[in-house]
Amino acid sequence: MIDWPEFEGPAAFGKIALGGHWESAVTFRGGEFVTQAEALAYLGDSQEVACEAFFGLPFFGIRLHGDPTELARDIAHFATAVQTADSGRQLVSAVANSLRVPLGRAFRYAEIGAEGAWNSVGAFRIDDPGNALERFDELWRDVSKSTVGRDTTHQKALEFSYDNGRSDGTSHWFALPVSSGQALDRSMVESALQRFVART
């Protein structure tokens, strides 16, 4: 997915969140929040962190568990990649190499969520994108009835989540926008699923 045109340019900004609380995430741009000391101060005693890089509305993210000192180093690597990478491909490769993550190899599930409010609005999970695409009318009916489908106050994204190849349940994901304004868009959801299925 990192070859998709949405990820061709450099990242516009990054986000860091603890405990999956994207509603209180820290947003940073190139040159900000890049030192390990700053990251450690932000983490406190947290042993879980998630980082995302935004390429306009599409984004790439990774969730990690570990000792705060180790996580602070990982955040610093991620923030440096946001600052220095010329493209999404370069950023993701840098993150994968520094954190030893096998990218895009073990698909877990897809999820439609509200950007910046994934937890508070609630997400809609899709375990089998191929089957969902084949039964798209049914999927659309179900997602339209869900809390994220009814929400009209946040932009929506469809995330494709993968295992990090570790035994701690951590993951990474690629996400495409699937809303027109702040309303979920049927054609964008279908197109994102089609693009994913076509590459698997």
Side-chain angles (χ1 to χ4, degrees):
M1 275 180 275
I2 202 58
D3 293 325
W4 288 352
E6 288 89 348
F7 298 99
E8 281 181 357
F13 62 93
K15 283 188 179 183
I16 299 172
L18 302 180
H21 298 294
W22 292 105
E23 292 81 351
S24 56
V26 171
T27 300
F28 65 95
R29 302 192 183 277
E32 300 176 341
F33 207 79
V34 296
T35 71
Q36 189 169 343
E38 289 172 311
L40 190 57
Y42 172 70
L43 281 166
D45 60 359
S46 177
Q47 296 188 5
E48 183 275 339
V49 69
C51 306
E52 290 183 332
F54 284 76
F55 301 82
L57 296 177
F59 56 93
F60 162 75
I62 187 165
R63 177 170 285 106
L64 299 164
H65 292 268
D67 176 85
T69 302
E70 178 184 323
L71 291 180
R73 186 185 67 242
D74 295 341
I75 290 173
H77 283 307
F78 190 93
T80 299
V82 170
Q83 179 186 21
T84 61
D86 293 329
S87 68
R89 177 196 287 270
Q90 192 178 78
L91 182 149
V92 172
S93 294
V95 169
N97 290 335
S98 66
L99 305 184
R100 300 169 306 283
V101 172
L103 287 173
R105 293 188 193 166
F107 176 73
R108 297 174 70 194
Y109 57 85
E111 209 169 48
I112 297 172
E115 168 51 33
W118 215 266
N119 286 340
S120 57
V121 171
F124 184 89
R125 183 166 166 149
I126 303 169
D127 289 308
D128 184 345
N131 183 56
L133 190 57
E134 290 175 7
R135 305 171 63 176
F136 189 76
D137 288 342
E138 180 181 335
L139 170 75
W140 182 251
R141 183 176 65 248
D142 291 344
V143 73
S144 296
K145 294 177 184 176
S146 70
T147 55
V148 69
R150 295 193 312 270
D151 174 77
T152 57
T153 59
H154 303 87
Q155 293 176 326
K156 312 301 182 302
L158 176 52
E159 283 185 1
F160 300 97
S161 181
Y162 295 83
D163 189 87
N164 279 353
R166 303 177 180 185
S167 59
D168 57 8
T170 58
S171 60
H172 62 278
W173 54 88
F174 299 88
L176 295 175
V178 289
S179 57
S180 295
Q182 295 172 323
L184 194 63
D185 185 288
R186 177 184 172 119
S187 64
M188 293 177 77
V189 172
E190 187 171 20
S191 175
L193 287 171
Q194 287 172 338
R195 292 174 68 187
F196 173 80
V197 170
R199 69 168 294 280
T200 56

